[in-house]
Amino acid sequence: MLRLLIGGRSLPKLHCSSWCLHTSYSPIPNYIQTSSNESGTNHRGIDIDLLFHSSTNTHLAKRLHALLIVLGKVQSLFISTRILNLYSNLGNISLCQQTFDQIPKKDVYTWNSIISAYVRSGIPSDAVNCLYKMLKYEVKPDFYTFPPVLKACRDLKDGSRIHSWILRMGLEWDVFVAASLVHMYCRFGLFDAAYQIFENMPFRDMGCWNAIISGFCQNGKGEKALEVLDEMRLEGIKMDSVTVSTILPVCAQMDDMVQGRLTHLYVIKHGLEHDLFVGNAFINFYAKFGEVELSQKVFDSLVTRDLISWNSIIAAYEQNNNPDRALSFFHEMQMNGYKPDMLTLVSVASGIAHSRDSQSSRCVHGFILRRCWFEKDVIIGNAVVDMYAKLGAVDSARKLFDRISLKDVVSWNTMITGYGQNGLANEAIEVYHTMVGTEHVTPNQGTWASIIPAYAHIGALKEGAATHGRVLKTGQLLDVFIGTCLIDLYGKCGKVEDTMNLFYEVPKTSSVPWNAVISCLGIHGHGETSLKLFRNMLDDGVRPDTITFISLLSACSHSGLVEQGEWCFIVMQHDYGIKPSLKHYGCLVDLFGRAGRLEKAYNFIKNMPLQPDASVWGALLGACRIHGNADLGKVASDRLLEVDPNNVGYYVLLSNIYANAGKWDGVNTVRSLANSKGLKKTPGWSSIELNNKMEVFYTGNQSHPQCDQIYQELENLMAKMKILGYIPDYSYVLQDVEEDEKQHILTSHSERLAIAYGIINTPAQTPIRIFKNLRVCGDCHTATKFISRITEREIIVRDSNRFHNFKDGVCSCGDYW
């Protein structure tokens, strides 16, 4: 019978003398010490201790339990509780609970065991309820009871009540109980209460110091955590691996590289450099500062590595724009026998997005699907949605987004951002509206930073202003990123005064808000003001970055400030050591070209140390279009078709140059070439926001409900314009048709339709704001000046390049653009 119960194996023999010697010096507490017969440790040659240690799964544990029932050992409180703990360690909370219920008279040790079992199994509410039942049955808790219960607390009310019981029982000075109270109050954000308990502790071990430091770190109180660390050092207590691993992320958050390096020296001095947790922490720390080489050195120096080590080095390269190296480590990790987890795939998905590897994206998607990870954690779903969006596969991103059953705020933000990054602002706004109407999802900082640029992209001022109001209610206006997005919104909607007012409200310690306002002023043609703000930025001690000089050069180009632009280009390199990128070169070519210095622009390109890309040649081609230089335009277009043969915009530009020169054979050749490649011209459209609705007009639009009124208004305006001296410029008609047809084509351009709609539907002398997806043509520019004079209105037109503020027959661009 016994042989059958223990699995058919012979039972090992036990030497009683050695067992008695062992128990006589056992550190087991008095209330659980028993004789050999009571504990069942030795019964007819059966070593029950060995059987407990050998029960490594639930099946063997059940067999042991059955054996102990047959032997009558379950009557022992010690043995029953030991069975309970065995089931708990094996993760079977159901059998654990059944065993507990069958114990007739439970002592504090038994209650402590079931409480720990509930905490270990992730059932915190049952753990707290057990404490209440324990008190109901008049079993007095001890200092082993409270640490797991405090860990299980999910309600401050319960935590405060338990704290009061601890005080009544005089257990507040126990080091483990006090440390658990510190953890609990830190978890609820009550740092003053946590620190007061910590300060009043008569003795503080390493765990207590780590508890209070960790509490402050995890709740964004980095400075306070460093103060406590200094206090710990003054008391002569050395940091251990837990302290180092806790404090390094704080150094990264506070941008304190010096403190991190000093900590590294301390680690080396005290022999902690080979500790796995410390090594992993330093890989992440150096990666946050862009020091990937140091992350690599730490990784290489690790004697042993775990999955966290591999995840950390993969994330280090991915976060520092080296996706190929990140993917290389991913493959190496698998070759070393490590199986990737969800965090690995989050980094890999982001790396694939940056490397533009569409084929690998499908492999990652399949890898995750086979493991059903989309159902397990929303984070992995968000990462793959973001990957598809960055690869431009927004349809795939949306399909996956729709399949995520439990979307969190990050899911919505990711989809909104994905649409915005792909120029689909209307779709982004649609998703945002759905999100706002969804229960249990509250917009946060990431939402505002995603949706405000979408409003800016289509010039939706009213909706953007409404979102501004929501931001004010949440008190996040002083957030530098949201403030910068709002600066950009009002700037791109033509509200320069509001842009400046916001700029003076937001923190200006970084270059981000300065860059935004310099860029906004630039596209409005206020180049001199942009340069003045740049000097103010330097006076305030803010260091310019590469984006600052792109904004400055663009501002100079918009205002024709050639000498000032050249000065900025020199200062950028000599004073700030910023190596010019292709964007900087493109801005300078545009600056020279728009000012009519085409030969200088062309020579500048030929002497560039970098290989010119499409943006550089495109800037020259655009300048050739403005100044009618067909020969140089042909040179620029030939280079463009080599580096970017599938961009239809460049074919359109060259076609326009030939059309202006009356070379219709050239026009037909270019159009045939574009058609042979399957390229189609982006249709021109203009939008106007009225009565909380965005109206969109395409060139030649005949489907609008007010179509007849719009064209009648344009005829009336045309008659008045001609009286004032307006002469249509047919060079902007890119079709070889009769003159009367050319006039009709000019009249039906989308911006004129939108302006006429605005005149019909708004009170006299009120401003009209138009957004156009392409450049405003020269004839429409002239016509709008006349319309602003006739109607006594301010007409603000934002095209794909800049703002045109028409008032009293004059444009803010000074006809330079």
Side-chain angles (χ1 to χ4, degrees):
M1 174 68 179
L2 293 177
R3 186 180 181 88
L4 177 65
L5 285 170
I6 63 170
R9 290 176 293 178
S10 299
L11 293 169
K13 293 184 178 179
L14 178 70
H15 298 286
C16 291
S17 59
S18 65
W19 179 84
C20 293
L21 181 65
H22 172 73
T23 54
S24 64
Y25 292 97
S26 172
I28 299 173
N30 290 333
Y31 69 89
I32 63 170
Q33 287 181 357
T34 62
S35 69
S36 61
N37 287 336
E38 182 185 356
S39 68
T41 305
N42 185 9
H43 184 86
R44 285 187 252 173
I46 301 174
D47 189 339
I48 294 176
D49 275 338
L50 180 59
L51 291 178
F52 266 103
H53 289 303
S54 301
S55 299
T56 55
N57 58 52
T58 302
H59 182 65
L60 292 176
K62 284 181 176 181
R63 286 185 170 188
L64 174 59
H65 195 172
L67 173 62
L68 293 173
I69 291 172
V70 170
L71 296 176
K73 292 299 174 184
V74 292
Q75 304 303 319
S76 164
L77 184 61
F78 171 71
I79 289 293
S80 295
T81 306
R82 194 171 180 186
I83 294 170
L84 185 157
N85 286 327
L86 175 62
Y87 285 135
S88 173
N89 291 331
L90 293 173
N92 195 319
I93 193 64
S94 177
L95 289 174
C96 193
Q97 176 69 63
Q98 290 175 29
T99 305
F100 176 79
D101 292 340
Q102 290 166 6
I103 299 174
K105 190 175 180 181
K106 308 170 182 71
D107 64 1
V108 65
Y109 176 64
T110 311
W111 283 98
N112 289 350
S113 297
I114 191 65
I115 288 171
S116 297
Y118 281 130
V119 174
R120 190 181 292 117
S121 299
I123 316 175
S125 58
D126 285 359
V128 176
N129 289 336
C130 268
L131 176 64
Y132 294 149
K133 291 178 183 177
M134 183 179 178
L135 293 166
K136 180 181 177 182
Y137 290 115
E138 298 183 351
V139 179
K140 186 179 179 181
D142 61 9
F143 46 79
Y144 287 118
T145 311
F146 289 107
V149 173
L150 289 168
K151 183 180 180 181
C153 271
R154 294 296 179 268
D155 188 300
L156 181 58
K157 185 179 178 181
D158 283 332
S160 301
R161 186 182 301 172
I162 294 167
H163 189 182
S164 67
W165 289 334
I166 290 170
L167 292 172
R168 283 202 298 271
M169 295 175 187
L171 297 175
E172 70 272 20
W173 304 125
D174 179 81
V175 65
F176 298 108
V177 174
S180 299
L181 283 168
V182 168
H183 269 299
M184 182 198 72
Y185 281 119
C186 284
R187 199 166 67 246
F188 291 123
L190 299 177
F191 306 107
D192 292 337
Y195 193 66
Q196 186 177 359
I197 294 168
F198 175 79
E199 286 282 273
N200 293 331
M201 290 173 68
F203 169 73
R204 293 174 285 199
D205 66 357
M206 196 70 236
C208 296
W209 287 101
N210 286 339
I212 191 68
I213 291 171
S214 175
F216 283 126
C217 290
Q218 291 174 7
N219 289 276
K221 303 286 183 180
E223 292 183 4
K224 189 64 180 176
L226 293 176
E227 287 178 19
V228 175
L229 180 65
D230 291 337
E231 185 182 340
M232 184 181 91
R233 288 171 174 171
L234 288 173
E235 292 194 15
I237 299 174
K238 296 179 179 179
M239 290 191 291
D240 64 4
S241 59
V242 176
T243 320
V244 173
S245 303
T246 302
I247 211 69
L248 280 176
V250 175
C251 297
Q253 289 169 13
M254 297 177 64
D255 202 26
D256 193 346
M257 182 68 157
V258 174
Q259 179 69 47
R261 286 186 178 276
L262 290 173
T263 304
H264 202 168
L265 290 173
Y266 177 95
V267 162
I268 294 170
K269 182 178 178 181
H270 291 84
L272 296 173
E273 70 269 26
H274 297 303
D275 183 275
L276 184 59
F277 295 108
V278 171
N280 293 342
F282 271 111
I283 292 172
N284 290 318
F285 170 77
Y286 285 122
K288 292 291 188 298
F289 287 93
E291 301 283 353
V292 193
E293 297 82 4
L294 294 176
S295 293
Q296 180 72 65
K297 285 183 179 179
V298 174
F299 178 80
D300 292 338
S301 70
L302 290 176
V303 178
T304 58
R305 296 170 186 153
D306 60 3
L307 182 59
I308 297 173
S309 311
W310 289 98
N311 285 350
S312 298
I313 195 67
I314 290 169
Y317 279 105
E318 180 272 316
Q319 291 165 6
N320 286 279
N321 301 317
N322 194 338
D324 295 335
R325 194 82 176 100
L327 295 174
S328 172
F329 269 106
F330 172 62
H331 297 308
E332 187 179 338
M333 178 187 88
Q334 293 175 290
M335 290 175 64
N336 279 272
Y338 289 91
K339 293 183 179 180
D341 63 2
M342 283 187 280
L343 289 178
T344 318
L345 269 296
V346 167
S347 295
V348 169
S350 181
I352 288 171
H354 286 108
S355 66
R356 315 297 297 174
D357 188 349
S358 299
Q359 184 173 356
S360 294
S361 70
R362 291 189 289 273
C363 295
V364 166
H365 193 169
F367 186 94
I368 296 167
L369 276 174
R370 287 192 295 274
R371 286 153 184 80
C372 301
W373 284 352
F374 288 123
E375 290 78 16
K376 291 181 181 178
D377 200 323
V378 69
I379 293 174
I380 192 71
N382 296 342
V384 178
V385 170
D386 182 63
M387 175 186 73
Y388 279 129
K390 285 178 177 173
L391 289 170
V394 285
D395 290 340
S396 298
R398 183 58 187 264
K399 285 178 183 176
L400 181 57
F401 171 79
D402 290 338
R403 289 174 186 167
I404 298 175
S405 54
L406 296 174
K407 301 179 182 69
D408 61 6
V409 67
V410 178
S411 311
W412 293 95
N413 293 350
T414 303
M415 196 67 247
I416 293 168
T417 304
Y419 274 130
Q421 289 172 342
N422 286 279
L424 301 170
N426 288 315
E427 287 81 353
I429 294 168
E430 177 193 340
V431 173
Y432 170 69
H433 288 159
T434 307
M435 173 190 178
V436 171
T438 304
E439 290 185 33
H440 312 303
V441 179
T442 304
N444 62 7
Q445 177 190 5
T447 314
W448 311 133
S450 302
I451 194 60
I452 294 172
Y455 288 133
H457 183 72
I458 61 171
L461 178 59
K462 288 186 179 179
E463 285 199 74
T467 304
H468 184 184
R470 296 193 68 174
V471 170
L472 286 172
K473 288 179 181 178
T474 60
Q476 295 186 51
L477 181 61
L478 294 180
D479 179 273
V480 65
F481 296 106
I482 295 177
T484 302
C485 286
L486 287 168
I487 288 170
D488 186 62
L489 167 72
Y490 286 111
K492 287 181 177 176
C493 290
K495 306 283 282 183
V496 179
E497 186 177 344
D498 291 337
T499 297
M500 295 307 299
N501 290 337
L502 265 172
F503 171 71
Y504 290 119
E505 286 184 35
V506 302
K508 293 180 281 296
T509 54
S510 73
S511 62
V512 176
W514 292 94
N515 295 347
V517 77
I518 287 170
S519 176
C520 286
L521 288 169
I523 62 174
H524 282 277
H526 304 309
E528 292 286 0
T529 309
S530 292
L531 289 167
K532 183 180 177 182
L533 274 173
F534 173 63
R535 295 186 184 96
N536 291 343
M537 174 183 176
L538 301 181
D539 291 340
D540 284 0
V542 179
R543 184 178 178 83
D545 57 18
T546 183
I547 303 298
T548 311
F549 287 101
I550 289 174
S551 300
L552 277 172
L553 290 169
S554 179
C556 291
S557 180
H558 280 287
S559 301
L561 305 174
V562 179
E563 288 73 21
Q564 292 89 329
E566 290 181 288
W567 172 80
C568 290
F569 193 73
I570 293 168
V571 166
M572 173 183 74
Q573 299 172 78
H574 291 179
D575 293 2
Y576 297 100
I578 298 174
K579 193 174 180 180
S581 67
L582 286 168
K583 286 187 177 180
H584 296 104
Y585 285 111
C587 286
L588 211 60
V589 170
D590 190 63
L591 174 67
F592 294 143
R594 292 192 183 280
R597 305 182 186 183
L598 296 178
E599 287 300 324
K600 184 173 184 177
Y602 183 48
N603 291 329
F604 179 77
I605 293 173
K606 289 192 290 186
N607 294 319
M608 278 173 53
L610 301 177
Q611 188 70 28
D613 68 351
S615 66
V616 176
W617 289 114
L620 181 62
L621 182 60
C624 293
R625 161 74 175 85
I626 294 169
H627 297 286
N629 191 326
D631 294 334
L632 189 55
K634 181 66 169 61
V635 173
S637 68
D638 288 343
R639 300 294 180 273
L640 273 169
L641 298 183
E642 290 174 7
V643 296
D644 192 4
N646 295 319
N647 190 323
V648 69
Y650 302 136
Y651 292 89
V652 173
L653 269 176
L654 182 59
S655 173
N656 292 352
I657 291 173
Y658 283 133
N660 287 341
K663 299 179 178 180
W664 299 107
D665 290 341
V667 171
N668 294 331
T669 301
V670 172
R671 288 180 179 174
S672 297
L673 182 60
N675 290 333
S676 68
K677 293 178 177 290
L679 304 177
K680 294 184 179 181
K681 178 182 180 294
T682 303
W685 56 265
S686 299
S687 64
I688 179 171
E689 186 182 18
L690 287 181
N691 302 319
N692 296 322
K693 184 181 179 183
M694 191 68 68
E695 295 282 351
V696 179
F697 295 89
Y698 288 87
T699 298
N701 192 301
Q702 300 281 341
S703 60
H704 194 274
Q706 292 182 276
C707 177
D708 293 339
Q709 292 173 265
I710 290 170
Y711 279 102
Q712 184 60 53
E713 180 66 27
L714 287 172
E715 280 188 29
N716 296 338
L717 288 170
M718 178 66 75
K720 295 176 182 178
M721 286 159 52
K722 287 184 175 179
I723 293 172
L724 294 175
Y726 166 72
I727 300 173
D729 187 348
Y730 296 135
S731 67
Y732 290 96
V733 177
L734 305 177
Q735 290 97 345
D736 189 13
V737 294
E738 297 298 324
E739 190 167 302
D740 58 340
E741 181 63 19
K742 289 181 179 181
Q743 180 170 318
H744 175 73
I745 290 171
L746 289 175
T747 304
S748 62
H749 277 188
S750 65
E751 54 265 59
R752 297 200 203 185
L753 298 177
I755 290 170
Y757 174 80
I759 293 171
I760 294 168
N761 293 282
T762 58
Q765 298 184 345
T766 56
I768 296 175
R769 300 178 188 279
I770 305 295
F771 173 77
K772 182 174 172 64
N773 69 323
L774 304 176
R775 288 291 308 278
V776 172
C777 83
D779 186 71
C780 286
H781 189 273
T782 302
T784 308
K785 288 196 295 182
F786 279 101
I787 294 171
S788 70
R789 180 179 170 188
I790 293 166
T791 60
E792 297 181 353
R793 289 176 182 258
E794 183 180 8
I795 303 174
I796 302 102
V797 179
R798 175 189 153 200
D799 68 11
S800 59
N801 284 71
R802 65 161 294 148
F803 270 90
H804 300 270
N805 196 311
F806 300 92
K807 190 174 183 180
D808 299 327
V810 178
C811 179
S812 59
C813 76
D815 297 339
Y816 183 69
W817 278 58

